[in-house]
Amino acid sequence: MEDIDVIAVLQDPVRRRLYEYVAAQGREVGRNEAAEAAGVARTLAAHHLDRLAEAGLLESGSRRLTGRSGPGAGRPAKVYTRARVERSVSLPARDYRTAAELLAEAAEEAGLDAGLCAAARRRGESLRGATEPCGGLEEAMEVLASRGYEPHLEGGEGGEVGDGGDGREEGRGGRGRVVRMRNCPFHAVAERFPPLVCGMNLALLEGLLGVDGPVRARMDARPGECCVVVEASKNNEH
């Protein structure tokens, strides 16, 4: 199926809501959960989810959602996650990826890492304009979302934010809160030239978010996510 046909699958509003919900979770999603989130019946959700899987936008599998095994655990349920394949459409046809890869290859061979990072930091500052550095993690998430990073808040290293029982958020198994990103806008080129492109990405976000404010960007690579995380600056931790 051509990319333009795949993207056309999202034209149906219910199908698009289901895709956006599954994509935003960063984990396997069952049919019941997806149907409830989209406000549709389970049978309709199942039809659209399978259509998205057939188009290659979602990947499907099965597992027991009860968390139990053995007799009485129930039958495995069908679950869905966002497919890792990248889709793009350009009319007329353009090939910016090849140009980006060639430029990255030349920059890496010429040892231009420092110059690229300096240019990326300037671009981030230019995008931020005259506004002050981000005032906190929530504001940083808004900025990152607008740039396509798909940010989500975690309670620390590997822990989702949870409720400590007294109304305060705390991380399960982590220290402090960090913003991780499920999408890297430079993923295709970063796969081929990780040190160069990830360094550029960090410098871009340093310029975009600011280096002297309440938040800071730093490298903390994790499979399937952007190599950069955002956290409170050391002088703003309590």
Side-chain angles (χ1 to χ4, degrees):
M1 184 180 289
E2 298 291 334
D3 282 3
I4 191 168
D5 298 318
V6 171
I7 293 173
V9 170
L10 296 172
Q11 189 172 14
D12 183 281
V14 173
R15 197 173 295 157
R16 181 161 186 156
R17 287 204 306 273
L18 287 165
Y19 172 78
E20 290 175 344
Y21 178 78
V22 173
Q25 304 315 302
R27 57 174 173 78
E28 294 176 331
V29 175
R31 287 172 167 175
N32 287 338
E33 178 185 348
E36 183 177 352
V40 298
R42 183 184 184 280
T43 51
L44 180 60
H47 166 74
H48 285 305
L49 289 167
D50 285 340
R51 183 73 182 92
L52 290 165
E54 290 168 7
L57 289 165
L58 297 180
E59 294 177 356
S60 62
S62 61
R63 68 177 177 86
R64 287 187 173 89
L65 299 178
T66 60
R68 303 193 305 272
S69 60
R75 295 174 57 189
K78 201 162 187 180
V79 292
Y80 303 83
T81 56
R82 178 169 60 180
R84 300 187 63 82
V85 178
E86 184 177 313
R87 305 285 186 177
S88 62
V89 172
S90 177
L91 298 173
R94 297 288 188 262
D95 189 6
Y96 299 112
R97 179 185 297 181
T98 297
E101 289 177 349
L102 288 171
L103 290 169
E105 183 177 350
E108 189 172 75
E109 291 179 352
L112 300 178
D113 305 56
L116 177 61
C117 287
R121 192 171 290 107
R122 289 194 300 270
R123 174 58 63 91
E125 291 169 350
S126 175
L127 290 170
R128 177 159 54 91
T131 61
E132 294 293 322
C134 280
L137 293 181
E138 287 73 18
E139 184 179 340
M141 289 181 69
E142 293 178 5
V143 173
L144 294 167
S146 71
R147 305 295 303 177
Y149 283 92
E150 298 184 3
H152 63 105
L153 195 63
E154 286 192 354
E157 297 175 2
E160 295 289 345
V161 170
D163 190 334
D166 56 1
R168 295 182 293 109
E169 287 182 338
E170 65 176 12
R172 295 189 293 273
R175 303 186 306 274
R177 299 190 302 168
V178 297
V179 175
R180 292 190 176 271
M181 294 163 267
R182 294 194 174 101
N183 182 51
C184 171
F186 316 109
H187 174 72
V189 187
E191 279 194 318
R192 288 196 58 190
F193 308 95
L196 181 76
V197 178
C198 291
M200 177 201 75
N201 187 25
L202 174 62
L204 177 70
L205 292 180
E206 286 176 340
L208 185 64
L209 303 176
V211 295
D212 300 320
V215 303
R216 67 163 185 159
R218 64 174 175 85
M219 298 287 270
D220 188 9
R222 193 164 78 177
E225 295 190 343
C226 178
C227 59
V228 179
V229 299
V230 178
E231 64 185 4
S233 300
K234 294 297 183 182
N235 57 353
N236 283 278
E237 292 178 346
H238 298 288

